[in-house]
Each structure stands twice: as C-alpha cells, then as structure tokens.
Amino acid sequence: IFQYGRAIGGGEYNSGGAFAIRDYDELEIRNSVFRHNLADLDDATYVTCGGAMALWNASPFIQKCIFHHNYALDYAGAIIAYMGSEPIISNCLFYDNESARGGAIAFYEYSNGILMNSTISNNLATEYGGALYFYKESNPEVINNILWDNEATNAGDEVYFSIWASTPGFYYCDIEGGLEEFGGLDFFGEYVACIEDDPMFMEGDEYPLFYPGISPCFNAGTPNDSPWFLEEYLPELDLYGLNRVDAGRIDIGVYESLFTGVPEPGSSANTTMTVYPNPVSSNAILSGQFATQDKVDICVYNTAGLCLKNWEFVSQPNSQQVFTLNFNNLPPGIYFLRIQ
C-alpha cells in the first residue's frame, strides 16, 4: 500500500506522489494499492504531475493495482505517461481520483503503451478528460476497459483530446456516451467493437462491480483469436480472485465473472415473481403465480457462488402465492436469489 505520498512545489521532476520514474523500463508493479497520494505542481514552465505516479520516458508494467483518492493539481489524478513513456497497465481499477486534466490517466507527448482490462469510474477532472486525457501524438492501445461515470467540468467526461492530434485505438471497451461524447479535437483513431451500455455496477460496494449474467460487459471482451487479446499481459486471476478468462471469453473491465456455480439467470413464461422489500433487512416476501403444480426450489447465493440458504415448496396452479423468506442469519452484502 502506497499512501499519503507527496510531491510538493515546483520543478518538472517534483511530480508523482508515490513514484517518479525517469528513463527506466525494468520495473513491475503488481498487487498494490495507491491511495491518498498528491502532486501539486502548478507551474506554466513544467507539465508533469501525476497524483500517484509520474513517468518520463519510462515504461513500467503495472498489473492488478488499485488507484483511488489520488490528487494532482494539474495533470493526471493517478498516472501521467509523459515524454515517450509506454507503460503496460493491465487489470487495474481507478476510482475517485481527481485532477484538472485527466481525472485518472494522462498520456502526454509521444506516449503510447497499452491500457487493458481496467475499470475507470467515478474520477473527476475539474477541466478536461474525466477518465483519460491525450496530448500531442500519444497513441496507446485501449483494450477491454470500462470508462463510466467519470466527470469533466468543461468537456470530455470520459475522454478528451488536446492540441496536436493523438490517435489511440479503442478496442472492445464499454464507454459511456461513446464517440459522440469524446471531447476536444476530432478523433481519428480506431474504434472497434466498443459498446456504450450501462455496465450495471452494483450499488453499495466500495469498488465498481457488476453482475456478469446481466451486464453487457459479460463475455464482451476481445475474442481469444483477436489480435487485441494480449494474453501475455493478463494475470491468471482478476482482482476478485477469479479466473481472468472464464465462460469461454474474457469480460470487459477489471473483473471477470463475479461468481461461479450459479446458473445464468433466465425466465419462464409460466411464472411472474416479485421479491420485496429490496434491499431486505430480515424477512423478504416472495410473491408469484404459477401456471402448474410443481416443486419449487429457492436458493440464495453469495457472490462467491455458495448456496447459503434454501427453501422448498409445492406451487398451486393458477393462484397467487406468498412466501416469507428469512435472511436474519446472513451478514450484510449482495446476494442472488434463484427460483427453480
């Protein structure tokens, strides 16, 4: 855990609240948390900033890291890739970072690299580029990422292009608003197989999650035979500890299937079911009408795919039925109810 690092005052190299890396590539950073770091450089003579990390002509490998609540006064709340940097950023989570330009990440002056299978959400730019900011011929490959619920006060909530055209490629991403919401200069890079659908983050969790059986990000990442399926840069497990490639194809974002062992949700024309209240504190009421007389099995699963409680009853045909389900012994959390 790298926290409360400070880069205070002027000077080009006084940047990167936790790490400042120059002219060096042979560095790997894995399984780390960067939080509450700060870089307050605000000098018209210099550009570099980076609340958590600043790179000059440096190309580290960054995998399975979490960046949150980092702050830069000017550029890049979490990471700035500057002056020919080409980092590989894989399977990382960025949320609640803030800067003036590039709430999460800025690629600045001939900086490329790869940003893949990451989730960038709830970051803030007080000027431009709530998630990503590009300047002066910076052309990274942006693959399998979720960019959602970021905010820029002036323009480009998710993506912003500043002067001197940059042409990054966006592949198999989920981007709120899509191309029409890109801010700044016109975009001339590749935009392949990206979607613009709500990833359906679960409410109540510190980290942005989604339920892959419903989310459009489930199995929507790069196919295994795609030139953008860069297996050599993928971890074996995602941040949740699950197989990074599951159910035959990789998911978009930082997480793979959120849980295993639960059948994919389905529906039946023979039943209409409701469960209330939701959220539930102790008892929930299951109400429904069945077309036939059948054995009904109900199981409540946690996010790890374990069935914690189950009930059985026999339905009566063509009549409204009400059942009480007791959840008193379950700790607070998110659960999934399967009715079969």
Side-chain angles (χ1 to χ4, degrees):
I1 297 176
F2 298 89
Q3 61 183 1
Y4 302 110
R6 294 290 184 266
I8 302 298
E12 181 180 15
Y13 302 120
N14 196 10
S15 294
F19 285 159
I21 308 166
R22 182 184 179 194
D23 298 328
Y24 190 72
D25 298 336
E26 299 302 317
L27 182 64
E28 297 187 0
I29 305 167
R30 304 174 189 263
N31 306 309
S32 299
V33 176
F34 293 81
R35 64 191 185 195
H36 305 295
N37 300 289
L38 176 148
D40 73 347
L41 176 63
D42 185 19
D43 187 332
T45 307
Y46 304 112
V47 171
T48 321
C49 222
M53 189 180 303
L55 312 174
W56 303 266
N57 187 37
S59 305
F61 181 67
I62 305 166
Q63 186 180 82
K64 289 181 69 174
C65 292
I66 299 171
F67 296 81
H68 70 93
H69 294 94
N70 300 288
Y71 174 79
L73 186 61
D74 201 349
Y75 289 95
I79 301 174
I80 184 168
Y82 179 63
M83 292 295 288
S85 295
E86 298 186 357
I88 307 278
I89 304 171
S90 168
N91 219 97
C92 292
L93 174 62
F94 299 82
Y95 70 95
D96 289 337
N97 301 287
E98 179 181 343
S99 72
R101 285 166 277 194
I105 304 173
F107 293 90
Y108 199 102
E109 284 199 35
Y110 312 111
S111 290
N112 302 318
I114 297 171
L115 172 63
M116 59 183 291
N117 282 101
S118 296
T119 296
I120 304 175
S121 181
N122 298 315
N123 301 281
L124 172 65
T126 55
E127 294 183 16
Y128 306 102
L132 304 178
Y133 181 93
F134 298 91
Y135 176 89
K136 197 174 184 179
E137 299 185 36
S138 292
N139 309 313
E141 293 184 304
V142 183
I143 306 167
N144 284 354
N145 301 290
I146 297 175
L147 280 63
W148 204 269
D149 280 341
N150 300 286
E151 179 183 352
T153 302
N154 292 343
D157 284 340
E158 307 303 327
V159 179
Y160 186 86
F161 296 96
S162 189
I163 63 173
W164 292 39
S166 297
T167 56
F170 290 83
Y171 310 100
Y172 294 88
C173 293
D174 187 7
I175 304 175
E176 185 172 12
L179 280 173
E180 293 183 0
E181 297 299 319
F182 282 14
L185 298 180
D186 290 340
F187 173 67
F188 295 104
E190 291 189 308
Y191 192 81
V192 177
C194 294
I195 62 175
E196 304 161 18
D197 301 321
D198 186 346
M200 304 185 72
F201 293 141
M202 294 187 193
E203 297 181 1
D205 282 85
E206 181 182 7
Y207 303 154
L209 302 174
F210 65 89
Y211 169 39
I214 298 175
S215 171
C217 296
F218 175 60
N219 270 5
T222 48
N224 296 358
D225 59 354
S226 164
W228 299 291
F229 181 70
L230 305 179
E231 190 172 12
E232 65 270 29
Y233 299 135
L234 289 172
E236 182 180 355
L237 304 176
D238 70 2
L239 279 179
Y240 210 74
L242 301 175
N243 291 330
R244 180 59 268 200
V245 180
D246 201 7
R249 182 167 167 179
I250 199 166
D251 296 350
I252 299 175
V254 73
Y255 296 105
E256 191 61 25
S257 303
L258 185 58
F259 58 88
T260 58
V262 183
E264 290 191 18
S267 61
S268 169
N270 296 326
T271 61
T272 302
M273 309 298 299
T274 60
V275 180
Y276 60 91
N278 186 15
V280 60
S281 58
S282 55
N283 292 331
I285 304 299
L286 172 64
S287 176
Q289 182 170 338
F290 294 82
T292 59
Q293 179 173 323
D294 284 302
K295 175 184 174 183
V296 178
D297 179 80
I298 302 171
C299 187
V300 60
Y301 289 86
N302 64 10
T303 55
L306 299 177
C307 181
L308 302 181
K309 301 188 74 169
N310 72 296
W311 300 267
E312 292 183 359
F313 63 89
V314 176
S315 65
Q316 300 302 316
N318 299 318
S319 64
Q320 190 71 18
Q321 295 178 264
V322 176
F323 305 92
T324 300
L325 308 179
N326 186 301
F327 293 93
N328 278 330
N329 296 327
L330 297 182
I334 293 175
Y335 298 91
F336 303 91
L337 196 65
R338 186 195 70 182
I339 304 168
Q340 185 175 17

